[in-house]
């Protein structure tokens, strides 16, 4: 029989259903990775001899599965969702529908399909959305499918979503190959690779078809109804109506059983309903599925105890539920989840239900750390620690902590940690109050020094010696205090020592952790009023890069519910085994994934080469669908952090004042792993969030000093964008640790090793005096299909700025389908186009084309002064409305043009009345505010009580500064050092002018020391000053005389106002002086000698300064 004839056999109720409308196996395999692919491609589980199917056998098996699926959807043995409510009407079944309608977005294609099928667009799950094709899972009747295709939906194809296609890839293999299958109380064991593994409460993740039937009710009710359906099928198989004792589940009467097909016949790979010889051979009686039913549901125990002990857990935004198989189970029994056949039988039973979209098998959590040996050498190092991760994260320059210098240490922020217990009396967390008020799921005490929330209700409220949770928490927010009151710099302080800590205890038993579920985790740690806005998960599951149901949960909750919470996850420690090893949830789209780099100084061992090198164990990407992971690298190897010592109180580091707390260094230890790189990044993120909350930015522009803007609550997408925009390429290699061998393999940004590079906060946001960066930050802006948001950027390097132009776009994407291989749902694009010049277009992530896989897109361009660029954010292909955040950093001129944006909420130009604030007093030169006009600088000067002001021309970039008791604006300084080294007010201020020569702009510095030292200028280049204020009344005046072109070798003459102050006295007056390239107000009685213009004088310095300011701004 030819393949074509087999295809034609698919035609069931009507010969008009064209075979070419069916999705091919190759096509389906490019959309979803499922148990069917495990069967026919990767490893043939159905045969005991593990024989691979040939290509022809695989094609026949696929066509036979489709044949069976079509037959089943039209069978008279319709399975009602509730057997006792069976009505005999035609039920709905899940299908994968694909549309290749040209020049359409995913939403438009979905709307066309929905209109043809008579369904709502909300009742769909996006499987794939590319330029060429969009595919969705929907629930419709077989007659609807037939009718729709008889009318020939343009460029569409479909397949029934048959049971085996709903079972996640690798799930059955994981159960079968786990030699120590112990789905019972948690315990822990160390693997040979140093990973700390935990046995776990086994679970199944069930996704439902959106909006259909039971999915409209809560997850517990939906689960009960579906499990009742499973039980009815068991009863139909064994003619037994009394197999369940649980009060939540019910048996079905014999009369109702007549409408129910036995499970063996319902499942495609065990069914006797096949009329095709090839498929009967494919599903012979010795396959694992058949054996599972025989030793599971069909056995004498019927897996009754497993049903009795099942628990249901909600999944937040996802329509579905999680089944905990053994949460209350303590003894082994054939009829429980200890029996693998019972679990596989349950998976079969769930997969055949027409409301189920997918069934995923939960994997054990792995703690991403290695336990470093304690030795006398380690203890000696431990008392000499200098918190290297702080400066590595902030600047990358040894011991330079510019954020701490600006009082940005995480104060006012709370970081959440979910981990295996916390030693709260370690000196890095200790509080002298010894309060218990913060213990409990809903208990918070913000008056505590460090730990403000400890959710102990889920686990056991215990930490173990050398516990993982204590080490992780201190790496993020630890701050030493010997007495629980007074804090001091500790050797193991975290990257955000000023932040508070909210902790969720996941630990049960000796160093083991259990998953509380995504809803429990987020609701515990991120409560509305005072919860954590940054959460760390230094653990994960291994799905080998395949998009799991757990990823759906994290992506959904971060996009739709906790939109201001950044979830930071360790990438895992299995990188030495190869690529595609990033664990879940670090491989999820909306999570920030962190890999581990090496450390520095005392925090490295022999042969380790430092911060430019990646630890070989750090898990590597990409994901199975090709996304860049990990996202960012931070020091996590041989990191000094707090040590849990449960038998001591106040254990601390080498700075401990006496011995009553134990030996020196008992409270700290060295650790390694991505578990500690993740909190290093989380603490750094707390500094960025503090930056926004304390008003360092306006709505679209960051001004670089505290209070210069307004309070902004950054979204999770903006936080992620800023961290990745600032990341720098690592210039080293991958190094094996601890033996030191350098691996000769590719190592570059955007790869599966370092992602977007090593964290560097100084490249993320402006800090006056520490960098020259300008930043445009677009926070959680909405865009719809067909729209494009443009930002016109001018490059200004006249102040000495040398930063590249860096643009990073981030959005929180809708969750994909479990097992998806094109997981991006909404495709946004950022492009940068040079305006004028070469008109070159720059693409993101090192590509020469659009990126259609990642939710992070970054462009880096080396720029020159005067260049202009258009940054475009395009809604290229959407299935739904999308929000995004954008970071644009570099040597940016003051204004941005967004006039082409089609949204009403486009960024506006920077307001001129932003509040101002002095910088911290430990800086010699202090910024009042940046990028302001001279008169705004003057207003700021008055507000701050500064008595003198100097104004220079044509240099707004460095803004308004103070030194001592003098304010000055735009004097042409190209660095803070030049300002600090200038003799103010000794008239050595430098003035900058632009000389046009040979079509290029040349910067010439003018010094006012000797008039003869200044070169001459073309008169056309000289400014003209217009006075505007009457010196006595303050009313606007018209100038009576135009200033002589300035500067010249002769004294410039100011115009004479129509009214003047009587000067025939010896009383000192304030005079505006513009002479020999000096611009100033002076107090003098000898006006005929010292003052050019002779008739202009003021009784107060303020009036004089305002006169100069109003004059200068007219020509600036």
């Amino acid at each position: 029989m030819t393949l074509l004839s087999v295809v034609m056999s698919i035609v069931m109720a009507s010969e008009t259903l064209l075979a070419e409308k069916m999705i091919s196996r190759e096509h389906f395999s490019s959309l979803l990775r499922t148990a069917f692919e495990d069967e026919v491609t990767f490893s043939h589980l159905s045969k005991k001899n593990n024989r691979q199917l040939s290509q022809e056998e695989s094609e026949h098996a696929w066509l036979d599965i489709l044949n069976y699926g079509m037959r089943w959807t039209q069978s008279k043995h319709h399975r009602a969702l509730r057997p006792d409510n069976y009505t005999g009407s035609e039920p709905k079944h899940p299908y994968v529908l694909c549309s290749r309608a040209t020049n359409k977005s995913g939403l438009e294609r979905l709307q066309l399909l929905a209109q043809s099928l008579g369904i709502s667009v909300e009742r769909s799950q996006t499987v794939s959305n590319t330029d060429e094709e969009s595919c969705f899972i929907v629930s419709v009747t077989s007659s609807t499918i037939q009718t729709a295709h008889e009318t020939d939906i343009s460029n569409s194809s479909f397949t029934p979503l048959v049971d085996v296609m709903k079972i996640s890839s690798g799930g059955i293999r994981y159960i079968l190959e786990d030699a120590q299958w112990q789905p019972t109380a948690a315990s822990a064991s160390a693997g040979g690779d140093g990973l700390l593994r935990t046995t776990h409460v086994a679970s199944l993740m069930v996704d439902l078809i959106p909006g259909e039937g039971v999915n409209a009710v809560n997850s517990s009710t939906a689960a009960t109804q579906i499990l009742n359906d499973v039980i009815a099928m068991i009863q139909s198989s064994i003619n037994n109506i009394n197999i369940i004792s649980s009060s939540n589940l019910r048996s079905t009467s014999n009369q109702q059983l007549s409408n129910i097909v036995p499970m063996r016949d319902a499942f495609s790979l065990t069914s006797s309903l096949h009329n095709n010889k090839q498929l009967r051979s494919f599903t012979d009686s010795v396959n694992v599925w058949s054996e599972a039913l025989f030793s599971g549901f069909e056995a004498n125990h019927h897996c009754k105890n497993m049903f009795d002990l099942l628990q249901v857990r909600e999944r937040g935004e996802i329509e579905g539920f999680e089944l905990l198989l053994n949460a209350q189970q303590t003894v082994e029994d054939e009829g429980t989840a200890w029996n693998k056949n019972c679990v596989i039988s349950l998976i079969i039973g769930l997969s055949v239900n027409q409301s189920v979209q997918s069934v995923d098998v939960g994997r054990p959590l792995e703690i991403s750390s290695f336990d470093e040996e304690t030795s006398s050498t380690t203890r000696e190092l431990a008392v000499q620690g200098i918190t290297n991760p702080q400066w590595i994260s902030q600047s990358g320059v040894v011991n330079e902590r510019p954020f701490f210098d600006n009082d940005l240490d995480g104060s006012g922020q709370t970081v959440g940690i979910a981990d295996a217990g916390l030693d709260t009396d370690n000196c890095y967390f200790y509080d002298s109050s010894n309060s218990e008020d913060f213990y409990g799921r809903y208990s918070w005490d913000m008056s505590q020094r460090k730990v403000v929330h400890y959710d102990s209700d889920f686990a056991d409220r215990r930490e173990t010696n050398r516990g993982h949770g204590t080490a992780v928490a201190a790496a993020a927010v630890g701050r030493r205090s010997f007495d629980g009151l007074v804090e001091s710099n500790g050797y193991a302080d975290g990257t955000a020592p000023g932040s508070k800590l909210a902790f969720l205890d996941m630990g049960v038993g000796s160093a083991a952790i259990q998953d509380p579920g995504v809803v429990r985790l987020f609701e515990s740690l991120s409560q509305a009023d005072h919860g954590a806005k940054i959460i760390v998960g230094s653990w994960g599951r291994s799905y080998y890069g395949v998009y799991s149901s757990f990823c759906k949960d994290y992506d959904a909750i971060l996009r739709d519910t906790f939109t201001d919470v950044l979830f930071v996850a360790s990438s895992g420690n299995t990188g030495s085994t190869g690529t595609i090893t990033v664990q879940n949830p670090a491989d999820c789209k909306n999570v920030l994934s962190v890999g581990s780099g090496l450390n520095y100084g005392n925090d490295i061992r022999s042969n380790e080469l430092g911060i430019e090198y990646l630890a070989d164990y750090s898990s590597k990407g990409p994901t199975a669908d090709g996304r860049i992971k990990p996202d960012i690298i931070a020091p996590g190897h041989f990191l000094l952090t707090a040590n849990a010592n449960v038998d001591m109180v106040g254990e601390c580091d080498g700075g401990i004042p006496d011995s009553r707390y134990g030996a020196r260094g008992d409270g700290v230890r060295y650790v390694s792993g991505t578990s500690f790189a993740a909190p290093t990044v989380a603490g750094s993120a707390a500094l960025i969030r503090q930056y926004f909350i304390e008003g360092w930015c306006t709505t679209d522009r960051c001004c670089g000093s505290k209070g210069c803007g307004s309070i902004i609550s950054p979204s999770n997408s903006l936080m992620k964008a800023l961290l990745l925009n600032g990341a720098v390429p690592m210039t080293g290699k991958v190094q094996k640790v601890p033996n030191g061998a350098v691996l000769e393999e590719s190592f570059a940004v955007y790869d599966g090793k370092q992602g977007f590079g090593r964290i560097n906060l100084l490249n993320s946001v402006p800090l006056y005096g520490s960098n020259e960066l300008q930043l445009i930050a677009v926070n959680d802006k909405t865009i719809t299909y067909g729209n494009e948001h443009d930002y016109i950027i001018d490059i200004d390097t006249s102040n000495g700025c040398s930063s590249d132009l860096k643009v990073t776009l981030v959005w929180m994407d809708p969750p994909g389908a479990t097992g998806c291989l094109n997981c991006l749902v909404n495709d946004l694009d950022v492009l940068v186009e040079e305006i004028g010049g070469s008109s070159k277009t720059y693409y993101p992530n090192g590509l020469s084309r659009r990126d259609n896989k990642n939710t992070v897109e970054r462009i880096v361009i080396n720029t020159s002064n005067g260049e202009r660029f258009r940054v475009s954010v395009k809604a290229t292909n959407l299935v739904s409305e999308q929000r995004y955040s954008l970071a644009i950093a570099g040597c940016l001129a003051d204004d941005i043009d967004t006039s082409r944006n089609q949204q009403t909420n486009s960024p506006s130009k920077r307001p001129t009345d932003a509040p101002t604030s002095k910088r911290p007093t430990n800086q010699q030169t202090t910024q009042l505010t940046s990028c302001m006009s001279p008169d705004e600088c003057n207003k700021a000067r008055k507000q701050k009580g500064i008595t003198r002001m100097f104004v220079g021309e044509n240099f707004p970039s460095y803004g308004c500064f103070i030194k001592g008791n003098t304010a000055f604006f735009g004097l042409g300084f190209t660095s803070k050092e030049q300002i600090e080294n200038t003799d103010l007010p000794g008239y050595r201020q430098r003035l900058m002018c632009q000389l046009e020569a040979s079509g290029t702009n040349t910067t010439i510095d003018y010094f006012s020391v000797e008039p003869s030292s200044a070169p001459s200028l073309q008169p056309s280049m000289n400014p003209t000053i217009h006075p505007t204020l009457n010196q006595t009344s303050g009313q606007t005046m018209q100038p009576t005389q135009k200033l002589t072109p300035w500067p010249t070798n002769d004294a410039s003459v100011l115009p004479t106002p129509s009214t003047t102050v009587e000067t025939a006295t010896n009383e000192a007056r304030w005079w505006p002086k513009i002479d020999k390239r000096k611009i100033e107000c002076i107090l003098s009685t000898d006006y005929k000698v010292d003052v050019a213009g002779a008739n202009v004088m003021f009784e107060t310095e303020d009036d004089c300064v305002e006169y100069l300011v109003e004059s200068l701004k007219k020509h600036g």
Side-chain angles (χ1 to χ4, degrees):
M1 178 181 290
T2 65
L3 287 181
L4 179 59
S5 64
V6 175
V7 170
M8 293 306 295
S9 71
I10 294 173
V11 178
M12 302 299 168
S14 171
E15 293 184 359
T16 60
L17 185 58
L18 300 178
E20 59 265 24
K21 290 290 186 180
M22 303 295 284
I23 293 175
S24 69
R25 185 185 74 83
E26 182 181 7
H27 186 187
F28 185 84
S29 298
S30 71
L31 300 176
L32 290 171
R33 183 168 292 179
T34 69
F36 179 81
E37 282 300 301
D38 293 346
E39 287 287 341
V40 301
T41 303
F42 300 109
S43 179
H44 184 38
L45 294 176
S46 291
K47 301 289 186 180
K48 280 188 171 180
N49 62 10
N50 205 35
R51 182 180 64 83
Q52 287 285 120
L53 292 182
S54 67
Q55 178 67 23
E56 184 176 4
E57 287 175 318
S58 297
E59 293 293 344
H60 277 293
W62 169 256
L63 295 171
D64 289 338
I65 286 289
L66 295 188
N67 191 343
Y68 174 79
M70 292 304 297
R71 286 171 58 84
W72 181 252
T73 60
Q74 297 178 343
S75 170
K76 66 179 181 180
H77 300 289
H78 298 308
R79 287 159 291 152
L81 191 59
R82 296 291 302 276
D84 54 339
N85 290 339
Y86 179 77
T87 62
S89 60
E90 184 181 8
K92 295 180 179 179
H93 294 275
Y95 291 83
V96 176
L97 291 172
C98 295
S99 170
R100 299 179 68 87
T102 57
N103 299 319
K104 300 291 184 183
S105 68
L107 178 58
E108 291 171 323
R109 290 167 178 158
L110 178 58
Q111 289 170 336
L112 289 174
L113 292 173
Q115 183 178 5
S116 299
L117 299 170
I119 62 173
S120 169
V121 294
E122 288 80 16
R123 297 187 173 188
S124 64
Q125 166 68 62
T126 302
V127 174
S128 174
N129 184 34
T130 66
D131 293 343
E132 296 77 21
E133 177 186 68
S134 303
C135 298
F136 310 92
I137 296 174
V138 298
S139 182
V140 292
T141 64
S142 61
S143 59
T144 300
I145 285 287
Q146 178 180 330
T147 301
H149 283 84
E150 284 177 347
T151 60
D152 192 20
I153 303 177
S154 177
N155 294 320
S156 65
S157 57
F158 76 99
T159 181
L161 191 63
V162 183
D163 41 44
V164 71
M165 302 176 190
K166 301 179 185 180
I167 301 172
S168 64
S169 173
I172 303 301
R173 173 177 291 279
Y174 162 68
I175 294 173
L176 291 172
E177 294 183 350
D178 187 354
Q180 297 180 335
W181 175 261
Q182 294 178 339
T184 183
S187 61
S189 60
D193 55 5
L195 290 175
L196 189 64
R197 290 191 173 83
T198 68
T199 56
H200 70 301
V201 174
S203 69
L204 300 178
M205 302 286 282
V206 181
D207 297 343
L208 302 177
I209 306 296
E212 293 299 322
V214 298
N215 308 345
V217 300
N218 64 58
S219 57
S220 179
T221 302
T224 299
Q225 293 178 1
I226 289 174
L227 289 172
N228 281 333
D229 197 14
V230 172
I231 292 166
M233 300 181 77
I234 300 173
Q235 294 174 264
S236 179
S237 301
I238 62 176
N239 295 317
N240 185 335
I241 65 171
N242 294 307
I243 67 169
I244 299 301
S245 61
S246 171
S247 60
N248 293 325
L249 303 175
R250 71 178 78 181
S251 297
T252 304
S253 68
N254 284 328
Q255 183 177 1
Q256 293 167 334
L257 289 176
S258 62
N259 295 318
I260 306 300
V261 175
M263 189 172 297
R264 181 175 290 275
D265 284 342
F267 186 61
S268 61
L269 299 186
T270 58
S271 178
S272 62
L273 301 181
H274 294 297
N275 62 359
N276 184 281
K277 181 179 179 181
Q278 176 68 42
L279 194 54
R280 286 201 305 272
S281 173
F282 176 59
T283 61
D284 65 21
S285 61
V286 297
N287 67 42
V288 295
W289 307 96
S290 180
E291 287 184 347
L293 288 176
F294 181 79
S295 300
F297 285 170
E298 296 172 354
N300 290 334
H301 52 72
H302 311 308
C303 303
K304 174 179 176 295
N305 289 339
M306 179 181 71
F307 283 100
D308 289 342
L309 295 173
L310 285 177
Q311 288 189 355
V312 177
R313 185 154 65 191
E314 63 176 316
R315 293 177 55 196
E317 299 297 323
I318 296 299
E319 292 191 43
F321 51 87
E322 183 177 8
L323 288 177
L324 305 180
L325 300 178
N326 51 281
Q328 302 172 357
Q329 195 168 307
T330 57
V331 295
E332 183 174 359
D333 182 273
E334 276 193 323
T336 67
W338 280 81
N339 185 342
K340 298 179 182 181
N341 295 303
C342 285
V343 177
I344 297 175
S345 293
L346 179 57
I347 292 172
I348 292 172
L350 293 168
S351 72
V352 298
N353 191 287
Q354 68 263 39
S355 287
V356 170
Q357 177 190 149
S358 66
V359 184
D360 205 359
V361 179
R363 313 290 173 88
L365 291 179
E366 295 177 355
I367 293 174
S368 305
S369 67
F370 295 87
D371 199 6
E372 298 290 352
E373 291 295 327
T374 302
S375 65
S376 58
T377 302
T378 300
R379 186 181 301 282
E380 181 180 352
L381 291 173
V383 301
Q384 298 175 6
I386 54 173
T387 57
N388 288 311
Q390 292 176 347
W391 64 260
I392 294 172
S393 300
Q394 291 185 34
S395 70
V397 178
V398 177
N399 289 332
E400 291 292 325
R401 299 171 175 82
F403 283 75
F404 288 178
D405 292 340
N406 284 275
D407 298 325
L408 291 167
D409 63 356
S411 294
Q413 305 306 304
T414 301
V415 175
I417 306 286
D419 215 288
L422 179 71
D423 188 354
T424 57
D425 61 27
N426 182 288
C427 72
Y428 283 89
F429 309 107
Y430 180 56
D431 191 294
S432 62
S433 70
N434 294 313
S435 172
E436 296 276 315
D437 293 343
F438 57 87
Y439 284 102
R441 181 174 182 176
Y442 304 105
S443 299
W444 293 75
D445 182 358
M446 300 305 294
S447 68
Q448 292 292 298
R449 183 184 78 87
K450 183 59 63 177
V451 185
V452 297
H453 173 66
Y454 192 125
D455 183 349
S456 55
D457 294 352
F458 175 75
D460 60 11
R461 189 180 157 175
R462 293 188 301 164
E463 176 64 306
T464 59
N465 286 328
R466 303 174 67 78
H468 187 263
T470 298
V472 169
V477 301
R479 176 68 162 167
R480 186 176 70 183
S481 175
F482 297 125
D483 60 3
L485 289 172
V486 179
E487 296 182 335
S488 58
N489 292 334
Y491 297 140
D493 282 350
T495 47
S499 292
K500 306 285 190 179
L501 172 64
F503 194 85
L504 169 60
D505 193 338
M506 299 167 60
V508 178
S510 176
I513 56 174
Q514 292 182 3
D515 184 5
V518 66
V519 175
R520 178 78 161 80
L521 189 153
F522 276 82
E523 289 184 351
S524 171
L525 295 176
S526 190
Q527 298 182 17
D529 295 335
H530 39 235
K533 302 303 180 185
I534 300 150
I535 297 177
V536 182
S538 288
W539 35 260
R541 297 176 172 87
S542 179
Y543 282 92
Y544 304 101
V546 176
Y547 192 85
S548 70
S549 291
F550 291 98
C551 268
K552 290 186 68 170
D553 288 355
Y554 279 90
D555 284 347
I557 206 166
L558 289 167
R559 169 185 165 87
D560 297 325
T561 307
F562 293 89
T563 58
D564 59 351
V565 175
L566 179 70
F567 191 87
V568 184
S570 57
S571 66
N573 289 359
T574 56
S576 57
T577 65
T579 59
I580 317 183
T581 52
V582 175
Q583 64 188 6
N584 171 276
D587 61 352
C588 303
K589 292 185 290 184
N590 298 338
V591 169
L592 182 66
S593 170
V594 185
S596 178
L598 302 189
N599 219 314
Y600 179 85
N602 287 337
D603 298 342
I604 59 175
R605 292 168 293 187
S606 60
N607 299 321
E608 293 176 357
L609 297 176
I611 65 174
E612 298 295 341
Y613 286 76
L614 184 76
D616 66 302
Y617 58 75
S618 185
S619 288
K620 301 175 177 64
T623 61
D625 61 308
R627 288 176 288 113
I628 297 171
K629 290 288 180 175
D631 295 304
I632 198 167
I633 305 300
H637 183 71
F638 208 59
L639 182 143
L640 186 66
T641 186
N643 176 45
N645 196 323
V646 298
D647 296 325
M648 299 179 65
V649 175
E651 65 268 25
C652 206
D653 57 29
I656 199 163
D658 56 49
S659 62
R660 70 178 185 273
Y661 301 116
R664 289 163 60 87
D666 275 343
V668 292
R669 68 184 178 107
Y670 274 96
V671 294
S672 290
T674 59
S675 275
F676 311 106
T680 296
V681 170
S684 301
L687 275 55
I688 296 293
R689 193 169 194 281
Q690 179 190 358
Y691 182 95
F692 279 87
I693 295 298
E694 291 186 349
W696 293 63
C697 298
T698 63
T699 54
D700 71 317
R701 191 84 176 224
C702 290
C703 31
S705 60
K706 182 177 179 179
C708 65
S710 55
I711 296 174
I712 295 174
S713 179
S715 63
N716 45 23
S717 58
L718 180 58
M719 295 282 288
K720 188 174 179 181
L722 291 168
L723 290 168
L724 299 185
N725 201 48
V728 296
M730 299 173 71
T731 59
K733 292 278 189 177
V734 179
Q735 186 176 21
K736 289 187 70 66
V737 291
N739 69 20
V742 176
L743 304 182
E744 294 300 324
E745 56 185 47
S746 62
F747 189 57
V749 287
Y750 314 123
D751 66 5
K753 302 180 184 73
Q754 62 172 290
F756 291 83
R758 189 185 70 248
I759 185 172
N760 189 313
L761 297 185
L762 201 55
N763 284 343
S764 293
V765 295
L767 279 184
Y768 168 68
S770 299
N771 62 17
E772 300 154 345
L773 202 65
Q774 296 291 322
L775 173 67
I776 297 168
V778 180
N779 185 25
D780 215 29
K781 183 180 176 71
T782 298
I783 192 169
T784 55
Y785 175 66
N787 282 322
E788 176 179 330
H789 295 172
D790 288 348
Y791 305 84
I792 307 301
I793 304 300
D794 292 306
I795 302 300
D796 181 4
T797 63
S798 59
N799 64 346
C801 176
S802 59
S803 299
D804 289 336
L805 174 62
K806 300 178 75 174
V807 179
T808 299
L809 170 70
V810 173
W811 67 100
M812 297 286 141
D813 201 45
T818 299
C820 58
L821 292 173
N822 294 303
C823 296
L824 188 67
V825 175
N826 285 338
D827 186 8
L828 302 184
D829 286 300
V830 64
L831 303 173
V832 178
E833 178 188 1
E834 184 178 354
I835 300 176
S838 66
S839 299
K840 181 178 179 179
T841 298
Y842 296 85
Y843 295 93
N845 299 345
L847 301 173
S848 57
R849 54 171 175 77
R850 292 174 36 238
D851 185 317
N852 58 4
K853 287 190 176 295
N854 292 285
T855 60
V856 179
E857 298 188 1
R858 188 178 72 177
I859 298 173
V860 181
I861 306 171
N862 183 262
T863 57
S864 300
N865 190 52
E867 289 182 319
R868 170 170 280 201
F869 297 91
R870 176 182 293 109
V871 177
S872 300
V873 176
K874 298 181 179 182
T876 302
N877 186 5
L878 305 185
V879 177
S880 61
E881 185 178 80
Q882 182 63 55
R883 302 184 307 275
Y884 73 87
S885 291
L886 182 70
I888 306 174
C891 304
L892 311 181
D894 286 351
D895 292 336
I896 59 172
D897 181 4
T898 62
S899 58
R900 290 186 58 188
N901 290 356
Q902 301 181 33
Q903 304 285 0
T904 58
N905 58 342
S906 60
S908 59
K909 290 186 178 181
R910 183 183 190 148
T912 58
D913 58 351
T916 61
S917 173
K918 292 183 181 180
R919 295 180 71 248
T921 57
N922 62 345
Q923 297 294 317
Q924 184 178 0
T925 302
T926 304
Q927 184 180 33
L928 286 172
T929 185
S930 62
C931 304
M932 296 178 65
S933 62
D935 56 337
E936 290 299 319
C937 184
N938 189 38
K939 291 179 183 178
R941 173 189 71 83
K942 291 182 179 180
Q943 292 172 358
K944 300 300 178 182
I946 306 302
T947 58
R948 295 181 63 86
M949 175 174 174
F950 290 92
V951 180
E953 67 114 10
N954 197 28
F955 201 85
S957 297
Y958 253 88
C960 185
F961 303 91
I962 61 170
K963 180 177 180 179
N965 204 29
T966 301
F968 49 93
F969 179 87
L971 293 178
F973 297 96
T974 59
S975 70
K976 179 171 73 71
E977 288 73 19
Q978 290 178 356
I979 295 172
E980 292 172 347
N981 295 330
T982 300
D983 183 17
L984 286 176
Y987 311 127
R988 283 190 56 86
Q989 61 267 36
R990 291 170 39 170
L991 306 180
M992 178 176 286
C993 297
Q994 295 292 327
L995 177 64
E996 187 173 13
S998 302
T1000 62
N1001 289 331
T1002 303
T1003 298
I1004 298 180
D1005 294 333
Y1006 287 87
F1007 293 84
S1008 60
V1009 181
E1010 298 293 338
S1012 60
S1013 66
S1016 61
L1017 288 175
Q1018 296 293 332
S1020 62
M1021 293 297 297
N1022 296 337
T1024 300
I1025 298 179
H1026 296 273
T1028 58
L1029 295 180
N1030 180 292
Q1031 70 273 21
T1032 55
S1033 65
Q1035 296 176 349
T1036 301
M1037 302 289 297
Q1038 294 296 324
T1040 59
Q1041 180 181 359
K1042 199 177 221 181
L1043 190 68
T1044 303
W1046 175 84
T1048 66
N1049 290 330
D1050 298 325
S1052 299
V1053 180
L1054 288 171
T1056 302
S1058 58
T1059 59
T1060 62
V1061 176
E1062 176 59 42
T1063 61
T1065 68
N1066 292 326
E1067 182 180 356
R1069 303 283 180 174
W1070 288 99
W1071 302 91
K1073 184 174 182 181
I1074 305 180
D1075 187 19
K1076 309 300 182 185
R1077 301 174 189 87
K1078 303 187 189 76
I1079 305 176
E1080 59 178 327
C1081 284
I1082 62 172
L1083 183 65
S1084 176
T1085 58
D1086 193 8
Y1087 62 90
K1088 290 184 179 180
V1089 175
D1090 291 332
V1091 179
N1095 286 347
V1096 182
M1097 60 184 179
F1098 300 90
E1099 292 184 349
T1100 67
E1101 183 188 20
D1102 283 349
D1103 290 337
C1104 179
V1105 169
E1106 286 181 359
Y1107 173 83
L1108 279 180
V1109 166
E1110 291 298 322
S1111 299
L1112 288 172
K1113 75 177 184 179
K1114 292 298 183 182
H1115 75 80

